[in-house]
Amino acid sequence: MFFISVIGVILLNCGMFLSYTYISEFLQGVTHIINLDLTITLFVYGIFSIIGNWAGGRLLAKTANKLVLTIPFFVSALFLILFFVGEYSIPTLICIPFWGLFAGIMNTILPYWIVSAVPQAPEFGNGVFLSMSNVGVTIGTSIGGWLIVSYATQYIFLGSIAVLILAFLAVALRVKKFDTKQPAY
């Protein structure tokens, strides 16, 4: 269960950071949101990320497995929308709060997913979470950079979707095989 959880965290974080790392590049280069508008847009993203942290904690306490199983689909759906409407300001600006919200929820899920796999050693789980999150960021950033150089900036979203599908498979395997019933922390 622990190793499946580690793989899930790496893939979930990779899927998010594959796109998030290049959010400014996307907003400036594809959507043409610049200067103060870019600052405000990123501020809105951040505010909704904080709300997502709070909401993620509440949802984990009630339905942890359902939340972890569904979040890759919500994020993938949002990224698919951004892939197609990213060059238009209004639809993109409507999507940004949801992106922040889902990122905040994901940031709450990831430590829970590892720590709940080793409840007898939460400090160890937290240390592994930090390390594996960094692995996910590194891989995601690398893939995202390659997609931008090889194709175009908006292809980061398709890359994220592909990784999030793999993340879903890891998460589903853990839920099916181990059916964790542990409380949220």
Side-chain angles (χ1 to χ4, degrees), residues 62-86:
K62 293 179 182 176
T63 58
N65 285 344
K66 287 181 186 176
L67 178 63
V68 179
L69 284 168
T70 58
I71 195 70
F73 289 106
F74 286 119
V75 174
S76 293
L78 178 68
F79 286 168
L80 190 61
I81 292 167
L82 283 167
F83 177 76
F84 286 110
V85 303

Side-chain angles (χ1 to χ4, degrees), residues 17-99:
F17 274 87
L18 199 152
S19 296
Y20 172 73
T21 303
Y22 300 102
I23 188 172
S24 291
E25 171 66 24
F26 167 73
L27 290 172
Q28 291 177 49
V30 176
T31 314
H32 306 294
I33 296 173
I34 57 171
N35 301 328
L36 183 60
D37 292 339
L38 178 63
T39 303
I40 293 168
T41 302
L42 294 174
F43 180 75
V44 168
Y45 174 96
I47 294 296
F48 277 85
S49 181
I50 293 168
I51 294 167
N53 280 314
W54 174 82
R58 306 268 306 169
L59 292 168
L60 277 173
K62 293 179 182 176
T63 58
N65 285 344
K66 287 181 186 176
L67 178 63
V68 179
L69 284 168
T70 58
I71 195 70
F73 289 106
F74 286 119
V75 174
S76 293
L78 178 68
F79 286 168
L80 190 61
I81 292 167
L82 283 167
F83 177 76
F84 286 110
V85 303
E87 62 189 43
Y88 305 106
S89 296
I90 300 301
T92 298
L93 290 172
I94 291 169
C95 290
I96 292 296
F98 292 102
W99 192 355

Side-chain angles (χ1 to χ4, degrees), residues 2 111 114-115 118 121-130:
F2 177 72
I114 291 281
V115 173
V118 287
E123 293 85 5
F124 169 73
N126 190 54
V128 171
F129 152 69
L130 291 171

Side-chain angles (χ1 to χ4, degrees), residues 110-179:
L110 295 175
Y112 164 79
W113 201 239
I114 291 281
V115 173
S116 67
V118 287
Q120 66 281 13
E123 293 85 5
F124 169 73
N126 190 54
V128 171
F129 152 69
L130 291 171
S131 297
M132 296 306 103
S133 289
N134 286 332
V135 169
V137 169
T138 301
I139 294 169
T141 301
S142 299
I143 295 170
W146 176 78
L147 288 169
I148 290 170
V149 169
S150 300
Y151 299 100
T153 302
Q154 65 267 29
Y155 282 86
I156 57 176
F157 298 116
L158 296 183
S160 286
I161 292 167
V163 173
L164 288 170
I165 290 168
L166 295 174
F168 170 77
L169 295 174
V171 168
L173 178 63
R174 175 183 153 173
V175 169
K176 182 176 170 60
K177 190 168 182 175
F178 299 102
D179 192 28

